[in-house]
């Protein structure tokens, strides 16, 4: 599978559907994605293969008797849903996930190689502004990567 990359802005319609960019859809080998709550109040979308792999790793290290691991299972695994693209290339985002990510109109779709993030555009712009100063040090922490 090719990489899921790029930043795209699209509008969530009144029915909670969003048109996915053709550039991202063309990379997908299936007509479905798994969506769940992400970090930083965005939604994360995975191909079925990537989701199964990640889910297996999380559940393989999980313990019912560890509160932090139960928290991850409840906040990340439990809300996950499989979504199919309609004929127009749209995904219908479930209401509970739209509320979690404050999705209400203009949205940002980020291809991050193995997964996709879906943000409310105001939340994403605010995130970028709030993390601007720490971005430089975050980038410098990756100095072991030779280019």
């Amino acid at each position: 599978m090719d990489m899921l990359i790029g930043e795209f802005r699209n509008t969530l319609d009144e029915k909670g559907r969003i048109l996915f960019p053709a550039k991202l859809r063309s990379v997908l080998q299936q007509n479905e994605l798994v969506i769940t709550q992400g970090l930083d109040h965005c939604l994360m979308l995975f191909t079925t293969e990537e989701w199964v792999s990640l889910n297996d790793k999380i559940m393989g290290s999980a313990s019912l008797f560890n509160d932090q691991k139960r928290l991850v299972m409840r906040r990340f695994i439990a809300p996950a849903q499989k979504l199919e693209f309609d004929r127009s290339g749209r995904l219908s985002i479930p209401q509970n996930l739209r509320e979690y990510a404050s999705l209400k109109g203009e949205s940002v779709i980020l291809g991050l190689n193995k997964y996709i993030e879906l943000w409310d555009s105001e939340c994403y712009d605010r995130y970028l502004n709030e993390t601007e100063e720490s971005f430089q040090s975050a980038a410098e922490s990756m100095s072991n990567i030779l280019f």
Side-chain angles (χ1 to χ4, degrees):
M1 181 174 82
D2 288 332
M3 293 186 295
L4 297 164
I5 55 174
E7 179 178 325
F8 309 90
R9 292 189 182 248
N10 279 338
T11 302
L12 194 74
D13 71 15
E14 66 281 347
K15 295 181 180 178
R17 299 173 302 191
I18 190 163
L19 179 64
F20 248 64
K23 286 184 179 185
L24 289 180
R25 285 194 326 266
S26 70
V27 174
L28 300 172
Q29 297 171 352
Q30 297 175 336
N31 196 38
E32 64 185 23
L33 290 171
V34 176
I35 188 170
T36 193
Q37 293 178 2
L39 304 171
D40 304 312
H41 285 279
C42 72
L43 300 177
M44 298 175 89
L45 298 100
F46 300 87
T47 64
T48 302
E49 296 81 20
E50 288 295 337
W51 176 255
V52 168
S53 175
L54 180 59
N55 182 64
D56 288 349
K57 290 173 185 172
I58 291 170
M59 296 307 292
S61 70
S63 169
L64 298 175
F65 307 107
N66 181 294
D67 63 335
Q68 290 185 330
K69 294 184 181 196
R70 282 192 316 272
L71 179 61
V72 170
M73 289 188 294
R74 290 175 181 149
R75 298 288 301 266
F76 189 72
I77 302 294
Q81 297 183 44
K82 192 177 285 190
L83 303 179
E84 290 188 15
F85 290 99
D86 68 11
R87 286 186 221 137
S88 300
R90 297 175 299 195
L91 286 177
S92 183
I93 310 300
Q95 178 67 31
N96 64 317
L97 295 175
R98 289 195 316 261
E99 289 173 4
Y100 170 80
S102 302
L103 293 176
K104 53 195 169 295
E106 184 71 24
S107 300
V108 179
I109 301 167
L110 300 173
L112 294 163
N113 192 11
K114 291 188 172 192
Y115 73 98
I116 298 165
E117 289 183 348
L118 177 58
W119 290 77
D120 172 77
S121 65
E122 288 180 18
C123 292
Y124 183 64
D125 292 340
R126 186 170 43 252
Y127 170 80
L128 289 178
N129 287 332
E130 291 172 356
T131 60
E132 181 63 34
E133 289 183 30
S134 58
F135 175 62
Q136 181 72 30
S137 61
E140 288 175 5
S141 76
M142 302 180 91
S143 62
N144 60 326
I145 298 173
L146 301 176
F147 183 69

